[in-house]
Amino acid sequence: MIRLTTLVLVLAGVLAACAPTTAVGPQGYRIGAGDKSKIQFRMLDSVNTLRNASGLPSVELEASLTAAAATHSRDMAIQNRPWHFGSDGSSPLDRIQRVGYSGELVGEVISETYETELETLGAWMNQPDTRRIIMSPDARQMGFSWFQEPNGKIWWTLVKGG
């Protein structure tokens, strides 16, 4: 019984250490200035855990795909609507070409929310169309970014390339 209690306490401590350090306030999840790499790698690790559990290869975080994701997240906020076309009419394919990505576009998933990146990933995994992109066996690379408005709303974009 003591071993079980000790194990539970150790696991609780490990899980607490993995918890996001960013505050969740009355307007939702607030992202701090120094949280960028933590959030990106937390999402990458989570995506790869899901992929590996299904026997799929891991993906790598790729800088140009992340740049395309960041541009689109900001543009969705400007347009005030979550959709896959930029204010200039650009598509996900146009955006990855603009940043010099030479691979193939696998897909793009987007969200407008006040939730954390992991809650957003959970919502994406519950929808067949976004789950298919995240779990695509053709994907080898990933870009992930966001734009947070002053009111706390977050525009998330994840781009997969192969």
Side-chain angles (χ1 to χ4, degrees):
M1 185 64 171
I2 292 174
R3 284 186 181 170
L4 180 60
T5 303
T6 303
L7 179 60
V8 169
L9 290 174
V10 168
L11 286 175
V14 168
L15 290 175
C18 294
T21 57
T22 307
V24 177
Q27 295 177 327
Y29 184 55
R30 300 302 300 186
I31 299 173
D35 292 334
K36 182 177 180 179
S37 64
K38 289 184 235 174
I39 290 171
Q40 286 177 326
F41 284 105
R42 196 164 39 235
M43 178 62 90
L44 177 65
D45 290 344
S46 298
V47 166
N48 282 334
T49 297
L50 292 167
R51 290 176 60 85
N52 295 158
S54 295
L56 296 168
S58 294
V59 294
E60 298 175 342
L61 197 59
E62 204 280 328
S64 60
L65 290 177
T66 296
T71 298
H72 191 56
S73 292
R74 181 175 292 275
D75 195 38
M76 286 190 297
I78 291 167
Q79 296 181 72
N80 197 32
R81 63 178 166 180
W83 74 324
H84 294 284
F85 293 96
S87 55
D88 62 355
S90 63
S91 69
L93 183 58
D94 295 328
R95 288 189 294 275
I96 68 165
Q97 289 173 344
R98 283 181 190 162
V99 295
Y101 184 70
S102 60
E104 297 290 322
L105 175 68
V106 172
E108 175 184 80
V109 295
I110 57 174
S111 181
E112 165 197 18
T113 185
Y114 290 90
E115 297 178 329
T116 70
E117 69 281 358
L118 299 182
E119 289 168 320
T120 301
L121 177 58
W124 286 336
M125 291 300 289
N126 284 328
Q127 299 299 316
D129 55 337
T130 52
R131 179 185 176 90
R132 184 174 53 254
I133 292 167
I134 292 166
M135 301 300 284
S136 172
D138 297 330
R140 296 292 176 258
Q141 297 174 317
M142 169 182 117
F144 177 67
S145 195
W146 62 90
F147 177 79
Q148 185 165 36
E149 296 179 5
N151 69 5
K153 183 189 289 184
I154 308 169
W155 302 84
W156 299 105
T157 305
L158 187 148
V159 183
K160 288 289 193 86

